[in-house]
Amino acid sequence: MPLIKLENVVKIYDLGAEKVYALRGINLEIEKGEYVAIMGPSGSGKSTLMNIIGCLDTPTSGRYFLNGVNVSDLDDNELARIRNKEIGFVFQMFNLLPRADALHNVELPLIYAGVPGDLRKKMAREALEQVGLGDRLHHKPNELSGGQRQRVAIARALVNKPSIILADEPTGNLDTKSGAEILALFDELHSKGNTIILVTHEVDVARHAHRIIRIRDGMIESDERVVDKIIARKG
Amino acid sequence: MKGSWIKSSRERDKIKRKNFMAVGFLLQLQESLKIALQSIWAHKLRSALTTLGVVIGIVSVTLMNMTIEGLGEAFRSSISSIGADVLYIQKWAWFAGEDWWKYRNRREIKISYAKDIKERSTYAVAVAPTVFNRSTVRFGSNSMENIIIVGTTDEFIYTAGASVEIGRFMSEVEVKAERPVCVIGAEISEKLFGNVNPIGRDLKIAGRTFRVVGVLEKQGKFLGLESLDDRVYIPIGQFMRMFPWRTGATIAVKIKNMDEIEEAIEELRGIMRTLRRLKPWQEDDFSVNRQELLLNAYNQTVGVIGAVGLGITVLSLIVGSIGIMNIMFVSVKERTREIGIRKAVGATQRVILMQFLIEAVMISSLGGVIGLIFAVILGFIVDQILPTSLPLWVVFLSLLISVIVGIVSGIIPAYKASKVDPVESLRYE
């Protein structure tokens, strides 16, 4: 059973006067443990696809099975629980709570999962240690560098042991060095068995993945395995 | 390292699921309280200004209840000093209202009626005429000015519902012989005599000497306003010699049986009409007052305070709610992104709704607490004019009202927050 299975997923935005076809029938399967990059120019529908895979949005038609569960017609609250359990988001804009320290930001998914205090703090601390921020637990986002903020966001994505880590342009707001560090971290997470889906428009970033799916005009243009991965990483 | 992490994570998953329902709600409540406090603290001035309407409303409702309670307590403790079974024949009706002129032109009530009523009435067990005047009383070098001197008879002690602390009340013989004796209130005893036992001492009233034969038990303030303990009682004959120009009297009649009060009133009216030589077609030119009338007047007073207080309260609470609602809308708008983040990591609509509702309730409750503090402080000032009292239920009611205001004003903004689309809000800069 594939982790993710999309069957003829269509997304139409009804803007009143006109209908925008964001996705025109996507068929896609992703197995557990894969490292997939979704590429495409802006307006291609890759953000829409990411929102649907991330259970932030539902398809207009078609079906989406996550872990064998059809999530395409769940309501908002059920989707929230699925996101809490199954999905770890990493955003371009980090999207951390500005007034909360790193530890509390990482605790957030656990709070909504109902994990009690001591265990929650322990798990959040472990997640932060895993991304190399064990010494920054009580720093607020504005006291951290961009790269560190993104690590906090990754720790937050990891802490609930999700089925998928979904990263939307995770290096888009970072300098080259920090970006490389974040990508190295993703490689490491992947090697530990995590499933990672990376949305990007940069080829260099996409090359870290084992599989690259290109989207254009709401359709899958190509879906290929990266064969020169080792070379790409060395180069 | 890695293996143990994943293995233990599975165990954690189990714990998580088991506790989800039980602990989840409390956890989220705790998180919501924390967020609300942070948010209020981050906008201290804004929050303080927002609470203003609620503060005024709560001050108003609390003071209103404090005054009504205080009056009620005073009333209940005073009502026994004009017993339910005592009727008062007077020129004026208590709380006459608009017929002021009618009463003004009536003839005065004569002291001598008391004797006639006592002789003729079958319901009366004690009849005491009373007349008042103010004068200075002196003992040695101590003196008190403007003290109410009551001229009455030995039966006063039965109609007044008072009892003697030390010594005795004036006797029938002393009243008839118009002896220069007096009975003093507890406060007079304290202030004028101090540690000296006043019994047998000479008290100067308007220059005349009276021997103190008794001290009355402390009665407290009538309706919490007028002290009944700073009075001096003397035989009515003595009083008339000292203040001959004061002729208007009150005749207090204690009746045998409460159940016969209506009949007693009718009998008294008949006796009074005969004494006044009224023709059958003429109206009564006297009033028979009873405690019930006082109760009515009390209810009226309380009603007015209640109506005014309620008006101010409702108005300021409406203003307060609109203020809170407005600020909550601003808060939701400002924190759209935060809502999006929370939803992305698993917050359900209910959780977001609760978070913002709690924030509104906290702002409102803050106003409630501040209002309560102000009300207690203002209560000391009001106490100079009207008696106040602060029972626990008044505190709880005020806090409950502020919580309700918070819920009412927070529900719409909170609902709006709960419906925020995470996709849109995460794009929101």
Side-chain angles (χ1 to χ4, degrees):
Chain A
M1 183 182 69
L3 179 62
I4 290 171
K5 187 178 184 198
L6 276 73
E7 282 180 3
N8 204 22
V9 164
V10 173
K11 183 70 184 179
I12 304 168
Y13 291 106
D14 196 346
L15 301 177
E18 54 170 336
K19 285 186 172 159
V20 178
Y21 286 76
L23 298 176
R24 297 166 184 266
I26 300 281
N27 289 292
L28 180 65
E29 282 185 16
I30 295 173
E31 300 294 332
K32 187 169 164 20
E34 276 195 274
Y35 188 172
V36 182
I38 296 174
M39 291 194 71
S42 62
S44 61
K46 68 177 191 299
S47 293
T48 306
L49 182 61
M50 194 207 82
N51 289 338
I52 287 173
I53 292 175
C55 294
L56 286 166
D57 210 345
T58 48
T60 310
S61 69
R63 295 196 294 175
Y64 168 25
F65 294 92
L66 178 61
N67 270 332
V69 179
N70 185 0
V71 294
S72 42
D73 39 41
L74 295 182
D75 68 20
D76 281 4
N77 289 323
E78 289 163 331
L79 286 176
R81 287 194 192 97
I82 296 278
R83 288 197 293 272
N84 183 253
K85 262 200 314 209
E86 309 285 357
I87 319 274
F89 287 101
V90 179
F91 299 98
Q92 181 180 2
M93 298 299 298
F94 319 131
N95 279 336
L96 298 173
L97 298 183
R99 282 202 288 269
D101 62 17
L103 190 68
H104 191 85
N105 265 296
V106 177
E107 276 181 70
L108 207 56
L110 300 175
I111 289 169
Y112 295 123
V115 180
D118 290 345
L119 178 60
R120 190 173 75 220
K121 286 208 160 27
K122 185 166 163 279
M123 290 168 77
R125 205 179 305 121
E126 282 172 359
L128 278 164
E129 278 160 9
Q130 214 194 3
V131 298
L133 285 178
D135 55 344
R136 296 280 190 277
L137 300 181
H138 298 293
H139 287 59
K140 299 250 169 83
N142 60 7
E143 296 160 346
L144 297 169
S145 71
Q148 287 171 331
R149 285 184 217 185
Q150 198 60 301
R151 282 163 191 268
V152 175
I154 292 168
R156 181 180 66 189
L158 284 172
V159 77
N160 235 8
K161 310 287 173 300
S163 304
I164 315 162
I165 292 171
L166 201 53
D168 183 13
E169 303 277 9
T171 58
N173 260 25
L174 299 176
D175 58 63
T176 317
K177 185 168 170 286
S178 306
E181 283 168 10
I182 293 298
L183 288 171
L185 185 56
F186 278 127
D187 289 346
E188 189 192 329
L189 293 173
H190 174 243
S191 71
K192 285 181 177 174
N194 290 289
T195 310
I196 298 172
I197 300 175
L198 192 86
V199 177
T200 184
H201 63 272
E202 288 176 65
V203 181
D204 290 345
V205 173
R207 276 198 180 151
H208 282 257
H210 292 205
R211 178 179 166 193
I212 297 177
I213 297 167
R214 289 175 204 273
I215 306 285
R216 187 178 287 272
D217 299 328
M219 310 237 272
I220 292 176
E221 188 186 50
S222 68
D223 183 349
E224 58 201 25
R225 305 272 154 189
V226 178
V227 285
D228 59 344
K229 183 168 165 58
I230 309 300
I231 302 158
R233 279 180 78 184
K234 275 179 181 167
Chain B
M1 171 71 202
K2 169 199 145 195
S4 72
W5 208 58
I6 288 172
K7 198 174 152 197
S8 64
S9 86
R10 281 208 191 102
E11 283 156 20
R12 279 177 203 138
D13 271 4
K14 266 188 210 159
I15 300 166
K16 257 195 306 194
R17 276 179 204 125
K18 214 168 75 184
N19 289 323
F20 187 84
M21 297 315 284
V23 187
F25 182 77
L26 280 178
L27 268 181
Q28 285 154 13
L29 192 74
Q30 191 191 343
E31 168 78 2
S32 298
L33 284 171
K34 202 166 158 186
I35 300 160
L37 275 177
Q38 275 176 354
S39 167
I40 291 168
W41 188 247
H43 305 103
K44 286 181 275 289
L45 184 63
R46 188 170 93 178
S47 306
L49 289 174
T50 307
T51 60
L52 207 59
V54 178
V55 170
I56 296 169
I58 293 300
V59 165
S60 154
V61 73
T62 310
L63 268 185
M64 176 182 87
N65 282 325
M66 282 169 75
T67 312
I68 290 175
E69 266 304 292
L71 273 176
E73 262 173 35
F75 185 79
R76 281 190 289 280
S77 67
S78 302
I79 209 85
S80 59
S81 66
I82 12 160
D85 52 355
V86 179
L87 298 166
Y88 296 84
I89 298 165
Q90 286 168 315
K91 177 180 170 182
W92 299 87
W94 287 348
F95 324 109
E98 63 271 17
D99 295 330
W100 192 72
W101 273 105
K102 202 174 88 187
Y103 298 107
R104 173 103 181 72
N105 292 330
R106 283 172 166 184
R107 286 176 283 166
E108 298 289 352
I109 305 293
K110 286 186 194 160
I111 297 162
S112 62
Y113 294 164
K115 220 178 103 204
D116 297 312
I117 291 168
K118 177 81 183 178
E119 277 168 11
R120 296 181 199 181
S121 171
T122 54
Y123 295 102
V125 287
V127 182
T130 51
V131 278
F132 299 86
N133 202 9
R134 286 179 183 271
S135 185
T136 302
V137 293
R138 190 186 302 278
F139 171 69
S141 57
N142 297 341
S143 74
M144 289 171 84
E145 280 176 22
N146 226 11
I147 294 303
I148 293 176
I149 311 298
V150 181
T152 187
T153 68
D154 50 298
E155 293 192 14
F156 175 84
I157 194 75
Y158 304 116
T159 63
S163 50
V164 178
E165 170 100 54
I166 44 173
R168 58 176 175 82
F169 203 69
M170 56 182 97
S171 71
E172 195 182 344
V173 176
E174 281 166 339
V175 173
K176 282 204 170 125
E178 298 176 15
R179 298 283 266 288
V181 293
C182 68
V183 176
I184 58 175
E187 209 179 312
I188 303 272
S189 171
E190 263 168 46
K191 288 193 178 156
L192 221 49
F193 292 90
N195 293 326
V196 180
N197 182 357
I199 306 297
R201 302 275 172 174
D202 285 344
L203 186 70
K204 294 252 186 201
I205 304 170
R208 290 172 189 241
T209 307
F210 289 80
R211 174 155 300 170
V212 179
V213 296
V215 179
L216 292 185
E217 214 174 65
K218 208 171 181 67
Q219 284 176 284
K221 290 181 169 185
F222 183 70
L223 288 186
L225 304 171
E226 200 183 335
S227 174
L228 294 168
D229 296 320
D230 60 350
R231 299 183 172 200
V232 177
Y233 304 87
I234 60 173
I236 196 155
Q238 276 285 345
F239 184 96
M240 293 312 293
R241 267 190 265 159
M242 288 165 77
F243 313 106
W245 59 91
R246 284 291 305 232
T247 50
T250 295
I251 296 172
V253 181
K254 186 179 169 74
I255 58 163
K256 240 178 271 173
N257 192 339
M258 262 303 286
D259 301 335
E260 297 169 338
I261 194 155
E262 298 300 329
E263 291 90 333
I265 290 170
E266 276 315 301
E267 189 195 58
L268 282 177
R269 277 188 62 214
I271 295 167
M272 279 303 291
R273 286 183 71 88
T274 318
L275 290 170
R276 294 278 207 174
R277 297 182 207 290
L278 294 176
K279 300 281 185 299
W281 60 86
Q282 284 179 303
E283 273 183 40
D284 287 358
D285 62 349
F286 56 88
S287 295
V288 180
N289 291 322
R290 53 197 280 205
Q291 197 194 47
E292 208 173 283
L293 294 174
L294 193 66
L295 192 70
N296 291 344
Y298 160 76
N299 286 337
Q300 268 175 29
T301 312
V302 165
V304 168
I305 294 172
V308 172
L310 204 67
I312 299 173
T313 303
V314 167
L315 212 67
S316 43
L317 287 183
I318 289 173
V319 172
S321 322
I322 294 171
I324 293 176
M325 198 184 291
N326 194 27
I327 228 65
M328 287 312 295
F329 274 128
V330 172
S331 188
V332 171
K333 183 82 186 156
E334 279 175 353
R335 284 151 69 189
T336 304
R337 191 182 191 84
E338 180 194 316
I339 298 166
I341 295 169
R342 289 180 185 278
K343 283 196 152 186
V345 300
T348 55
Q349 291 181 1
R350 195 193 66 176
V351 167
I352 300 293
L353 183 92
M354 192 166 75
Q355 180 190 325
F356 281 87
L357 206 53
I358 282 174
E359 190 173 325
V361 169
M362 272 181 95
I363 292 176
S364 180
S365 308
L366 188 72
V369 171
I370 295 171
L372 263 178
I373 293 168
F374 273 117
V376 170
I377 294 167
L378 285 173
F380 287 113
I381 299 165
V382 175
D383 230 13
Q384 309 299 311
I385 314 159
L386 290 168
T388 63
S389 165
L390 185 61
L392 213 55
W393 71 262
V394 169
V395 176
F396 281 127
L397 180 71
S398 298
L399 290 177
L400 182 72
I401 289 173
S402 58
V403 167
I404 292 170
V405 166
I407 292 171
V408 167
S409 51
I411 191 79
I412 302 171
Y415 180 78
K416 202 183 157 196
S418 77
K419 290 293 175 191
V420 161
D421 178 3
V423 176
E424 286 296 316
S425 58
L426 288 171
R427 215 179 288 151
Y428 184 89
E429 297 295 319

